[in-house]
Amino acid sequence: MATAYATLAAHGRLGTYTLVEGVTRGGEQLDLPDPRPRQAVSREAADTTTSILRSVVETGTGTAAQTAGRPAAGKTGTAEDDKAAWFAGYTPELATVVALMGQDPETGHQEPLYGALGVERVAGGGAPAEIWGRFTREALAETPRATSTSA
């Protein structure tokens, strides 16, 4: 989801994201994927989707993500039987996903999140969106705001 949302934030351009600068085998340099972005989705489709996802943060289920303090777009989600909840979002500078998963610590089986974090029910617009907003605010604290208004 983070890669998909980063593509939307970049007006439909998909980049190759890697921390690897080079790979050799037996002293021979191996080819890496082309790092140049390519248009994966039309700009119009990406920007229209961003507009819709901005409304989720501005007036919809993801308003808790406004704590990012930047223009943001995103989507909340809650799994069947409330076994997981997430917020996937982006600003012009950063795309991230926060997911909370219910799991029995002894068996490893998925469990509903009822009562987790001291709340009756955990949904994507609650704790995941709040965590996303705080993380994004801190992660971008030293980053100038992008001049683009699309995200």
Side-chain angles (χ1 to χ4, degrees), residues 48-142:
T48 299
T49 303
T50 292
S51 177
I52 293 165
L53 294 176
R54 279 190 76 167
S55 70
V56 172
V57 174
E58 292 170 356
T59 60
T61 57
T63 57
Q66 292 176 7
T67 57
R70 294 184 182 237
K75 183 69 180 89
T76 62
T78 307
E80 186 175 337
D81 298 326
D82 291 337
K83 292 181 179 178
W86 59 89
F87 182 83
Y90 57 102
T91 70
E93 306 87 7
L94 179 67
T96 52
V97 178
V98 172
L100 303 179
M101 311 287 185
Q103 183 179 31
D104 183 296
E106 293 181 21
T107 66
H109 291 122
Q110 286 186 321
E111 297 289 337
L113 291 166
Y114 301 127
L117 304 172
V119 296
E120 185 177 327
R121 180 175 183 257
V122 177
E130 292 170 16
I131 293 166
W132 182 91
R134 290 183 199 150
F135 170 81
T136 300
R137 181 182 65 234
E138 292 300 317
L140 297 175
E142 303 298 320

